Structure formats: structure tokens, C-alpha cells
Amino acid sequence: MERQLGAGRRMPVLFVGHGSPMNAIEDNRWSRAFRGLAPLLPRPRAILAVSAHFVTAGSVLTGQARPETVHDFGGFPDALYRVRYPAPGAPELARRAAALVAGDGARVVDGWGLDHGTWSVLVHLFPAADVPVVQLSIDAELDAAGHLALGRALAPLRDEGVLVMGSGNLVHDLRHAFAAWRRGDATPPAWAARFDADAAAALERHDARWLVDAIASPEGRRAHPTPEHYLPLLYAAGAAGADPVRFPITGFDMGSLSMRAALFG
């Protein structure tokens, strides 16, 4: 049965741990989990995605009618570079979102496109690529509270049939992950499991202060040597407000990449 259009009802908010771009083409635990998310979502009018892989000075929105599929990685099999996710853009949504976050000096551009933080997930959620998609960049000039505030500013889009989706990882330490992978050890270290659990608990109790402060804490710096995979969570949490949260995907890949997904509303 086809999911119904989200227009006229409040859309949920999704944060997803995207992990390796290979999840786009492999049949593995995570690609199957992404496909399992699809029935939980009403069909949106459009998607506004905040990906860990689109970081700019100031907020930027993709305004193309036909955004490119961006292969923002190296060293992977040729089959991954042949993937195209030809979803249409939504210039009107880009302008609407820019107006909502106008205080951040947001601008709509024709550059970039859909990077793997977005398309490696959407290829499973909406495989027909028939839902328009706009990407909003992470503003590198903001502190954590500023990212949460932008998420709150975007909340009205939910009443306009738009799915707000953050894509990163709740724990993301690639140096540890690759070292563990070379050892053949997929066991999450205690610090990674602890941060993942603490963040999930903060989301459940709507503890905005914890979420904002966490990335600068010793535990947060250990879980995120660089912050870009954490920050999409703040956009999602901001847009979600006080809505209840559930975690349809949990677990770790390569030891220290949390693949937890959070579905709000």
C-alpha cells in the first residue's frame, strides 16, 4: 500500500546514522534497517535534509530543480560512483526554508547537490527518487545552541508536508573505527556505548541543554573528534520540539560508528 501524502498533517522528524556510503548498494544489516524505516514514514511532499557532509560558512540551501548526485568520497568500488539518485529539487522549499532561517543570512545556491549523507539513506527510504529534496548546509560559524535554534525555526515546515531529516552519526570516530576494522574487532568501546546511550536518554527527556553542551564535553570530544556528524541531530531535535522519540535502528558499525536512528512524532 502506498504511503499517503503528508500534506495536511504534521510530518515526523527523522535523524538517521548513515554510516558508510556502501550501505547504498550493499545488502547488509544497515541497508535492511533503512528499508525498514520506510513503512514508518508517511509520504512527504518534500524532504529537507541536513547532512554531515555539507558544511559551509553561513547556511546554504540547494536551489536546483535537478540536483546532482554528489559522490563526496574516495577509494570505493566503481559501482558506488555509478549510483545516481535523480530526485527533483524544490526551489520553492529552498526559498521558504531560507526565509525561516533568515536571521542566519541563509542563501539559496545552485551548487552542491545531494551528497551521500542524504542519498545513501533515501535510496532505501524512497527508492523511486520521486520526492523532491533540498539540502540545508551546516553553518560552520554557529555554536551548538545556534544549530538547535535553526532546527526550531524550521519546525513550521512539518505542517507543510515536509520531512525534516538529519543525517550523521550519534558517535563518529573514524580513526578508531578503521583501526578496529583492521583488527577485526567490532565491539563498541565503553566510551562510545556510553555517549550513545546518554544522548538517547537526553532525547527522550527533551534535555536541550545536555544536547547542546555534550559536543564540547570530554565525552563528546571523544565520540566526535570533529563535530559535523553530531550537528544534524541538533537540527532534528530542534524541529521536533517536545514530540516523543523512538529509536527504530540501534547498534554500532565498525566499533565506533553509532547507527542509531531517532524518529520524532
Side-chain angles (χ1 to χ4, degrees), residues 3-229:
R3 290 162 284 172
Q4 296 301 304
L5 286 170
R9 60 158 291 180
R10 177 161 248 230
M11 291 295 296
V13 176
L14 177 64
F15 171 81
V16 62
H18 63 253
S20 167
M22 290 298 291
N23 294 328
I25 61 173
E26 290 183 342
D27 180 22
N28 60 33
R29 174 184 176 185
W30 309 118
S31 62
R32 291 190 294 272
F34 295 158
R35 291 194 291 274
L37 280 176
L40 305 180
L41 300 171
R43 181 180 172 86
R45 177 177 66 84
I47 298 166
L48 181 73
V50 181
S51 165
H53 298 279
F54 187 25
V55 181
T56 60
S59 291
V60 171
L61 292 118
T62 57
Q64 307 99 309
R66 290 288 171 183
E68 296 286 335
T69 302
V70 180
H71 299 84
D72 53 320
F73 41 71
F76 287 90
D78 288 344
L80 191 59
Y81 298 94
R82 292 195 295 270
V83 173
R84 295 294 181 271
Y85 189 74
E92 289 185 7
L93 172 59
R95 291 190 292 271
R96 168 69 170 139
L100 289 172
V101 297
D104 190 50
R107 62 194 191 276
V108 178
V109 302
D110 288 333
W112 201 238
L114 307 182
D115 61 52
H116 83 270
T118 295
W119 60 258
S120 70
V121 176
L122 293 185
V123 74
H124 298 296
L125 295 184
F126 300 100
D130 55 355
V131 178
V133 185
V134 169
Q135 275 202 201
L136 168 64
S137 71
I138 295 171
D139 181 353
E141 298 175 340
L142 290 179
D143 60 12
H147 296 293
L148 186 73
L150 286 190
R152 288 172 174 159
L154 294 168
L157 296 176
R158 300 177 59 193
D159 297 313
E160 301 168 18
V162 177
L163 174 67
V164 177
M165 183 184 84
S167 179
N169 290 97
L170 209 52
V171 176
H172 187 269
D173 183 345
L174 280 182
R175 182 176 180 180
H176 177 277
F178 281 115
W181 176 69
R182 286 191 291 269
R183 295 194 305 269
D185 180 10
T187 305
W191 55 265
R194 185 167 55 249
F195 188 85
D196 179 69
D198 288 348
L203 291 171
E204 289 177 320
R205 65 178 184 267
H206 307 294
D207 190 343
R209 177 50 54 193
W210 190 97
L211 294 171
V212 165
D213 291 345
I215 194 62
S217 70
E219 294 83 3
R221 289 193 297 270
R222 183 68 184 88
H224 291 276
T226 57
E228 71 282 347
H229 279 74

